[in-house]
Amino acid sequence: MPERILNAATKMSELTTAKVNEIQNVTKAAKILALNALIEASRAGEAGRGFAVVANEVNIISQQVTSIAKELQNLFATEARDLRGTAQMVRGARLSDLALYVIELIDRNLYERSCDVRWWATDSAVVDGCADPDDVKASTWASKRLGVILDSYTVYLDLWVADKNGRVIANGRPDKYRVKGLDVSNEPWFRQAMATNNGGEYSVADIERNQHLGGKAVATYATAVRADGEADGEIIGAMGIFFDWEVQADSVVNSISFAEEEAPRTRVMIVDCNYNVIAASDGMSNRNERFMLQVGENGKDSYLLEDGSIVAFALTPGYETYEGLGWRGVIVQKPRNDLRTARRHIALTSTTTRQLETVR
């Protein structure tokens, strides 16, 4: 529907410009005839006086026609702008709703990750491994248990368990990622996990690349492992789970089905709180790009760029106990070719107005 309104406004602009140009040409011809008539009347002297009156009347009528044409041009131009404005509002509302859908989908997905880490940190194999980190049998069993979990939860690259000193004692994919014995005591996720007050708390950070996981982008969730798996038990270690961000985020930003005509000129993104592009439907989120939004005070809104592109966005609302990280869903849609033509017609209409004023 917005595209139909925009097309109607475009056609109205084209028709108005064409008809005003025709009127302009007619009035120009009439003015020239009136001028010639006045010249001939002056040459005829007293005999041409009556003809001069007619010529003056023709000139006056031409000026009136020019004035009416200008009024019509302004009227149609205003109506066309109103139609375009209405269409842009409708299109902006639709795209901002879709941007909200994208960020809500991510929020719900990441909420589940926060539940996973708190649940798995109470697994008996994980707890026993942290209770006696030097027990090879216990740590081996913990790794096997993590591997079983990963067989079912394919959204993760790996799951790590570290003792209270920050030494990794088990991971779910030891054949692929040889991190056992790795010191993670200075890693933010470990320190934040060790600082949690109870088993209901967890930590999460913005997307980053983990060199120990092949340099892949991950969303890391972590929490403390507590004695006997009790929510208020003594902290005996930490668990970190690494969400495979690139694969999972790509599926989200490409989950919206746009019309065949819209898809090539539409880009869906997720940006973090610093406006870094952390996912994009065109697969270009790996180039350290920032997309600065004109956010204002609204959590969900849209606006136009100078080239006619529309930018729509929505701030994360969070989901259940997951508050979100200040991320936003963003959709940028370039104008259609005929809409670019409409913008040129606006400029042409302005030129026509100036020409009419000059003739008048």
Side-chain angles (χ1 to χ4, degrees):
M1 182 61 72
E3 301 295 340
R4 291 181 181 178
I5 296 175
L6 286 168
N7 287 336
T10 300
K11 291 179 180 179
M12 180 183 293
S13 178
E14 292 173 349
L15 182 60
T16 301
T17 300
K19 294 303 179 183
V20 166
N21 283 336
E22 290 180 12
I23 294 172
Q24 179 186 3
N25 292 332
V26 171
T27 55
K28 278 183 179 180
K31 284 179 177 289
I32 291 173
L33 289 173
L35 179 60
N36 289 334
L38 286 173
I39 293 173
E40 293 300 324
S42 65
R43 288 177 179 176
E46 186 66 24
R49 181 176 297 178
F51 193 59
V53 172
V54 175
N56 281 326
E57 288 298 321
V58 171
N59 188 50
I60 292 172
I61 292 172
S62 296
Q63 291 177 351
Q64 290 175 341
V65 171
T66 299
S67 178
I68 293 171
K70 179 182 176 183
E71 291 177 3
L72 285 173
Q73 181 269 326
N74 289 333
L75 175 63
F76 280 108
T78 300
E79 291 297 322
R81 281 196 299 270
D82 289 345
L83 279 174
R84 278 190 289 271
T86 300
Q88 296 292 5
M89 287 178 60
V90 173
R91 188 159 65 115
R94 168 179 169 259
L95 292 179
S96 60
D97 284 342
L98 291 175
L100 178 61
Y101 166 79
V102 168
I103 199 63
E104 282 185 327
L105 196 58
I106 282 291
D107 281 348
R108 293 181 183 184
N109 199 320
L110 297 184
Y111 164 71
E112 295 178 4
R113 310 292 70 86
S114 70
C115 296
D116 290 345
V117 71
R118 287 175 288 180
W119 170 30
W120 296 335
T122 65
D123 188 280
S124 59
V126 172
V127 173
D128 291 346
C130 289
D132 189 358
D134 294 323
D135 185 338
V136 177
K137 183 177 180 180
S139 61
T140 300
W141 172 239
S143 288
K144 288 184 178 181
R145 175 59 182 160
L146 296 178
V148 170
I149 293 174
L150 286 175
D151 288 340
S152 298
Y153 290 81
T154 57
V155 298
Y156 295 102
L157 290 174
D158 206 3
L159 312 177
W160 297 358
V161 176
D163 63 22
K164 62 182 180 181
N165 296 315
R167 177 172 60 93
V168 176
I169 61 173
N171 69 304
R173 292 188 172 123
D175 294 336
K176 187 173 184 179
Y177 304 114
R178 300 182 182 279
V179 295
K180 188 173 182 178
L182 179 68
D183 184 1
V184 296
S185 58
N186 291 320
E187 294 291 329
W189 68 265
F190 176 81
R191 295 200 304 270
Q192 292 167 10
M194 297 297 286
T196 55
N197 295 311
N198 55 65
E201 294 185 357
Y202 65 94
S203 70
V204 56
D206 277 327
I207 306 305
E208 61 181 2
R209 295 190 175 278
N210 190 310
Q211 61 176 331
H212 302 292
L213 296 173
K216 292 186 176 181
V218 295
T220 305
Y221 286 73
T223 193
V225 178
R226 298 176 180 272
D228 301 320
E230 296 291 338
D232 57 354
E234 176 188 356
I235 294 179
I236 57 176
M239 183 174 194
I241 63 176
F242 303 95
F243 182 64
D244 189 358
W245 174 256
E246 292 181 18
V247 173
Q248 304 306 319
D250 182 72
S251 66
V252 171
V253 294
N254 285 290
S255 64
I256 301 177
S257 297
F258 289 100
E260 184 177 354
E261 182 278 324
E262 282 186 292
R265 57 189 178 89
T266 305
R267 188 186 191 203
V268 182
M269 296 177 285
I270 299 172
V271 301
D272 65 19
C273 60
N274 295 313
Y275 304 106
N276 296 305
V277 178
I278 54 178
S281 58
D282 58 3
M284 299 297 288
S285 60
N286 297 326
R287 57 183 183 182
N288 298 321
E289 176 189 359
R290 297 187 76 197
F291 190 91
M292 300 304 298
L293 285 167
Q294 301 173 22
V295 293
E297 298 180 356
N298 297 322
K300 184 167 77 75
D301 208 346
S302 65
Y303 58 90
L304 283 175
L305 299 179
E306 289 185 1
D307 66 353
S309 297
I310 188 166
V311 179
F313 63 88
L315 177 67
T316 169
Y319 184 75
E320 297 288 346
T321 57
Y322 181 74
E323 297 181 357
L325 298 172
W327 296 356
R328 288 178 172 85
V330 179
I331 297 178
V332 179
Q333 190 172 85
K334 295 181 179 179
R336 289 172 49 171
N337 289 333
D338 55 354
L339 299 185
R340 294 191 184 98
T341 301
R343 292 175 66 85
R344 289 195 295 271
H345 274 286
I346 293 174
L348 181 58
T349 300
S350 299
T351 301
T352 302
T353 301
R354 292 194 295 271
Q355 291 173 342
L356 285 170
E357 289 174 344
T358 300
V359 171
R360 185 177 181 188

